[in-house]
Amino acid sequence: MTPEDLQEYGMDYLYHMTHINNLASIIRFGLLSHNAAHRLNVIQSDISDPDVQDIRAGLVVPFYNRPLHDYVPLYFDPRNPMLYKRREMQEDIVILGLDPNLLFEPNILITDGNAAARETSFYKRPNALNRLPWDSIRSRSWHNIEDGRRIKCAEVLFYDKIKPNKIQFVFCYSQRHREAIITARQGTPILGKVRKDLYF
């Protein structure tokens, strides 16, 4: 598996969604795991589901025997059930487009569905991409796909922290937060762009 092979999967970016209020601290400190972000008290607005987080808090990932909350979760497709559940606030949610070559970093994990689900399998090498159900992951809707809700939330788990220079784009729902994105960039080459197609 090489970086060129990622194009076979149509992988322009890996994605992470967050509230616009968290953007400045992410660009300053990097994208942190749940545990690290709470330890440093840098989360201003939490969009995660408390019930799901309670489940994830009790899980340990295979291979490395670390808490799931010690990993930064990234998605292959951000237009998924997690975002759908928060669609009433999606104008305030920004979607970070990250360098897909993060898949070649050490200690990453790839899942074939939501990492909190019992049925989900974990893999630790990018070669495992060919084992993922891409038709289901890329589908615009999961409602008519068997186990689609879980599969659409397939993840890449990155240990502890992702440096800000791995963030290439900040995608947003509308022009509403254009100035906030420009301010949060803090002189970095990160670009902001309206991508309504990534939302509901």
Side-chain angles (χ1 to χ4, degrees):
M1 174 71 70
T2 68
E4 290 73 26
D5 294 328
L6 297 182
Q7 294 304 310
E8 177 184 341
Y9 301 99
M11 200 179 303
D12 295 322
Y13 308 99
L14 298 172
Y15 299 94
H16 182 90
M17 61 188 76
T18 189
H19 197 281
I20 183 67
N21 292 346
N22 301 322
L23 184 58
S25 67
I26 288 172
I27 292 176
R28 180 180 178 187
F29 297 110
L31 195 51
L32 305 177
S33 69
H34 180 95
N35 284 342
H38 282 273
R39 188 166 58 245
L40 296 175
N41 196 30
V42 295
I43 298 178
Q44 294 190 35
S45 299
D46 192 347
I47 65 170
S48 64
D49 184 324
D51 293 334
V52 173
Q53 292 307 315
D54 285 346
I55 295 171
R56 292 175 77 98
L59 297 178
V60 173
V61 302
F63 304 116
Y64 301 113
N65 199 35
R66 297 184 181 119
L68 178 55
H69 269 168
D70 277 353
Y71 285 80
V72 181
L74 307 176
Y75 291 117
F76 294 108
D77 187 350
R79 195 178 183 276
N80 60 34
M82 190 274 187
L83 182 60
Y84 184 78
K85 195 167 187 177
R86 293 290 182 256
R87 63 192 182 280
E88 77 285 350
M89 66 167 67
Q90 65 181 354
E91 278 209 58
D92 292 326
I93 293 175
V94 291
I95 298 172
L96 310 182
L98 292 103
D99 184 354
N101 289 310
L102 285 166
L103 282 162
F104 298 97
E105 298 285 337
N107 298 327
I108 64 105
L109 286 166
I110 297 167
T111 75
D112 65 0
N114 189 317
R118 184 178 304 165
E119 301 83 1
T120 292
S121 297
F122 289 72
Y123 309 96
K124 64 175 182 176
R125 289 184 173 81
N127 289 3
L129 290 174
N130 62 14
R131 304 182 67 175
L132 270 56
W134 288 104
D135 287 347
S136 298
I137 292 171
R138 296 296 189 202
S139 174
R140 292 290 286 177
S141 174
W142 57 91
H143 300 291
N144 296 320
I145 298 173
E146 184 178 357
D147 203 16
R149 178 174 291 274
R150 180 189 68 85
I151 292 170
K152 280 289 289 181
C153 288
E155 302 177 46
V156 176
L157 301 172
F158 195 92
Y159 180 62
D160 196 46
K161 175 182 177 178
I162 298 175
K163 293 179 180 179
N165 64 3
K166 299 299 183 181
I167 303 171
Q168 298 178 335
F169 269 94
V170 178
F171 300 116
C172 56
Y173 182 81
S174 69
Q175 292 288 349
R176 177 181 172 190
H177 291 305
R178 181 174 180 273
E179 292 302 321
I181 291 173
I182 291 172
T183 301
R185 285 169 48 190
Q186 303 173 49
T188 70
I190 296 169
L191 299 174
K193 187 176 183 179
V194 175
R195 283 286 306 272
K196 201 166 184 176
D197 61 300
L198 296 179
Y199 294 83
F200 292 95

